[in-house]
Amino acid sequence: MENASTFTGSLPSKTEGIALCSALVLSLVLIIAGNLPTLVLFAVTKPLRRKSLFLVMNMAFADLMLGAFSLPFYIFAAGGDYQLWTAKYDSENMVYKIFYASFDDMFLLGSYISAASISCERFYAVFWPFKHRSLSTRTYRITIFLLWSSAVLLSTSMTLLNVSSSFEASLYVFIPVVLGLTITICICNTAIWRNFQNESVVSQHRNGASRNRRLTKTVLLVSILALLSWLPISILNVLIHITKISIPWKFYYVVNILNYSNSFVNPIVYVLRIPEFQQALRSCCTKRRPAIKMVKTERQN
């Protein structure tokens, strides 16, 4: 919050600050508690380690890093703005500007680029199913490498502009990138949805087609949720820093909470919509029950 004059009115009360930080801490806990088990299940469960879920797990990794690394810094900054504790963000504090800003931008963009990549991958799977099946695991790995290379390059450019010029200058990189990703998600999801409505998905194997269709609907929901969480914060940044429209503090923080909340909603969607995740969770639960019964039996003996 380097330019507080862009916001209207005085700072809210400390009670509102405590409520905000509590909501952010809850988001942090839910993000870690949701995405970390998701990645562990993917690593230890063989049926989950299929190439069609590589990009989904990559997004889960980005969300986990966003919650475990970026969100604590943001909570510290928000609490400082509400004067809950002392937090300085002057020009001499280069750690905040360089270290936090670069990694925060990298994980934010990594998550949203992953959502756009998932939409493109499902678009390719729906309209060219036979070519999609021939894609190798190496292709997905190269895609993930290029994805994170782009996120690192963009975050580095934004951080350099922020340090050397101003935060508004970095937005001239951020806004076009987010706009392009948003348009990509909208076009792919609209085309997929119209294809489903027209029932034009053709496949020789009915069971495989049904599973593929369910996965497509799942990632379609994930990308739509990402879109809904990114549009408000993008619009608000344009209004505040480019058009210089005064916005109340509450709106700014509520929109940021909405943006972070997308990171813990995604694992819920995975569990509810992907049967392999449900089976993996059930197997973990059933493996623990016999162990508990054995301990009780030994104690009785």
Side-chain angles (χ1 to χ4, degrees):
M1 307 301 300
E2 296 177 357
N3 189 8
S5 62
T6 57
F7 294 87
T8 58
S10 59
L11 287 175
S13 64
K14 289 188 177 181
T15 303
E16 294 180 352
I18 294 172
L20 168 69
C21 291
S22 300
L24 291 172
V25 170
L26 179 61
S27 298
L28 185 152
V29 173
L30 292 176
I31 289 172
I32 296 177
N35 289 283
L36 183 59
T38 299
L39 292 171
V40 172
L41 283 176
F42 178 78
V44 301
T45 307
K46 189 174 181 180
L48 287 176
R49 294 197 302 269
R50 49 193 177 99
K51 57 185 181 181
S52 57
L53 291 177
F54 277 16
L55 293 176
V56 175
M57 292 302 100
N58 181 71
M59 187 174 180
F61 172 78
D63 290 337
L64 176 63
M65 291 296 101
L66 193 64
F69 181 84
S70 300
L71 193 50
F73 280 91
Y74 187 76
I75 294 171
F76 178 74
D81 291 334
Y82 280 88
Q83 300 178 353
L84 299 179
W85 46 71
T86 303
K88 297 181 180 180
Y89 309 112
D90 53 15
S91 59
E92 296 179 357
N93 195 341
M94 301 303 292
V95 174
Y96 174 78
K97 275 193 170 184
I98 298 177
F99 186 73
Y100 161 68
S102 59
F103 281 93
D104 182 58
D105 292 337
M106 181 179 67
F107 295 136
L108 277 172
L109 290 172
S111 178
Y112 201 45
I113 294 174
S114 297
S117 301
I118 290 171
S119 298
C120 293
E121 190 264 347
R122 286 295 94 191
F123 178 84
Y124 188 75
V126 168
F127 288 93
W128 295 278
F130 296 105
K131 291 183 179 180
H132 176 264
R133 290 172 195 160
S134 63
L135 292 177
S136 62
T137 304
R138 182 182 178 185
T139 304
Y140 283 87
R141 291 176 178 173
I142 293 175
T143 302
I144 293 174
F145 174 78
L146 294 176
L147 185 155
W148 283 108
S149 298
S150 301
V152 170
L153 180 61
L154 290 170
S155 63
T156 303
S157 302
M158 291 171 58
T159 303
L160 291 175
L161 288 173
N162 188 10
V163 173
S164 62
S165 181
S166 63
F167 178 73
E168 287 78 5
S170 65
L171 286 179
Y172 287 104
V173 175
F174 177 78
I175 297 301
V177 171
V178 172
L179 181 60
L181 295 174
T182 302
I183 293 174
T184 301
I185 293 175
C186 290
I187 292 175
C188 292
N189 291 348
T190 302
I192 293 172
W193 182 255
R194 290 186 63 182
N195 188 283
F196 282 165
Q197 291 295 317
N198 296 330
E199 297 182 353
S200 58
V201 179
V202 180
S203 178
Q204 297 291 333
H205 305 284
R206 196 168 186 82
N207 292 332
S210 177
R211 187 178 68 174
N212 191 38
R213 187 184 181 92
R214 184 179 180 85
L215 178 61
T216 301
K217 289 183 177 180
T218 301
V219 297
L220 184 67
L221 178 60
V222 169
S223 58
I224 290 175
L225 291 174
L227 185 65
L228 293 177
S229 67
W230 271 86
L231 278 178
I233 193 172
S234 302
I235 295 173
L236 207 61
N237 276 321
V238 172
L239 293 177
I240 293 172
H241 298 285
I242 295 180
T243 62
K244 303 298 181 181
I245 296 177
S246 297
I247 302 294
W249 286 73
K250 294 180 182 179
F251 292 163
Y252 185 82
Y253 283 118
V254 168
V255 166
N256 275 274
I257 291 175
L258 175 64
N259 184 253
Y260 279 113
S261 65
N262 178 68
S263 297
F264 68 77
V265 171
N266 290 335
I268 300 175
V269 176
Y270 303 152
V271 173
L272 294 178
R273 295 285 306 174
I274 299 178
E276 288 84 356
F277 275 105
Q278 299 174 5
Q279 294 174 2
L281 286 175
R282 289 172 185 170
S283 63
C284 291
C285 294
T286 53
K287 286 180 180 178
R288 291 178 181 178
R289 288 176 183 174
I292 295 174
K293 291 181 179 180
M294 288 293 295
V295 171
K296 290 182 178 179
T297 304
E298 290 177 359
R299 287 179 179 177
Q300 290 175 357
N301 294 333

